[in-house]
Amino acid sequence: MNTNTIYDQPDSRATQLSRALDYVIEQSNSRSSPISGKVDSTRLGAIGWSMGGGGSLKLSTERSLNAIIPQAPYYAGLNRFNTINTPTMILACSADVVAPVGSHASPFYNRIPEATPKAFLEIYGGSHFCANSGYPNEDLLGMYGISWMKRFIDFDSRYSQFLCGPNHAADLRISEYRENCNY
């Protein structure tokens, strides 16, 4: 799924993410669709980058989801992130000048209630694009991203071992890792 325009703000992107999820569910419910019967509408997640990351955060304040991963999230203005109960892993880029960690990713993480499963992974030296494919962090993003989604969309607690504990600081590509395990 892509945005209507590159200028769409996070609230608009949240609406677009929601409509994309609805479309996939509708297609799964259609006998003529190539994905007929292949989508479990009770297990949904979203990932967004930059304003799409802000959109995924906004979406989780409006719709029931099993997991989200905002990447280098950008969101300006008032938000209701303190109402999020969707398991949320925020991927941040330490050298991000578009959505600086101290103004966006970190405060967003801090606003999410402690009762909500959450994690914060900051990539050392990463620009705003550090969470995109084609950059040197693909294996790191894959391990954490897949583990997060498997843990909370598939309810597979075997993936908690990759998300919880002190081993994250050993990877020099990670400048900061926070979580509120035990999940």
Side-chain angles (χ1 to χ4, degrees):
M1 177 227 130
N2 206 347
T3 57
N4 293 329
T5 75
I6 62 170
Y7 305 106
D8 296 338
Q9 295 300 304
D11 290 355
S12 174
R13 291 175 188 230
T15 300
Q16 293 169 43
L17 281 166
S18 188
R19 287 183 182 154
L21 289 170
D22 290 342
Y23 176 78
V24 170
I25 292 167
E26 288 170 18
Q27 289 299 303
S28 181
N29 293 334
S30 170
R31 289 188 181 147
S32 62
S33 171
I35 63 168
S36 178
K38 297 186 186 228
V39 176
D40 182 347
S41 63
T42 66
R43 298 181 347 179
L44 299 174
I47 297 174
W49 170 71
S50 191
M51 287 192 279
S56 68
L57 287 160
K58 169 77 171 182
L59 177 63
S60 69
T61 68
E62 301 173 339
R63 180 177 183 148
S64 178
L65 299 168
N66 296 89
I68 61 168
I69 303 178
Q71 301 171 310
Y74 175 91
Y75 195 96
L78 300 175
N79 64 62
R80 297 181 330 136
F81 300 162
N82 62 320
T83 67
I84 291 174
N85 61 16
T86 301
T88 303
M89 170 174 270
I90 294 180
L91 297 176
C93 310
S94 70
D96 191 338
V97 296
V98 176
V101 175
S103 306
H104 294 272
S106 186
F108 299 161
Y109 176 85
N110 292 337
R111 278 188 60 84
I112 298 169
E114 280 302 314
T116 300
K118 61 182 181 173
F120 176 92
L121 186 152
E122 182 182 75
I123 296 174
Y124 177 76
S127 74
H128 187 59
F129 299 92
C130 82
N132 292 351
S133 63
Y135 287 80
N137 303 307
E138 287 181 337
D139 61 332
L140 186 69
L141 298 169
M143 185 188 86
Y144 284 92
I146 289 169
S147 295
W148 191 260
M149 293 305 204
K150 293 292 284 180
R151 173 61 188 89
F152 293 104
I153 292 179
D154 288 348
F155 312 105
D156 191 338
S157 61
R158 294 177 297 172
Y159 287 87
S160 293
Q161 66 183 312
F162 303 111
L163 302 167
C164 300
N167 298 333
H168 313 288
D171 191 326
L172 298 177
R173 297 174 297 171
I174 299 174
S175 53
E176 184 178 0
Y177 189 82
R178 298 180 243 165
E179 38 79 5
N180 67 350
C181 294
N182 201 9
Y183 37 77

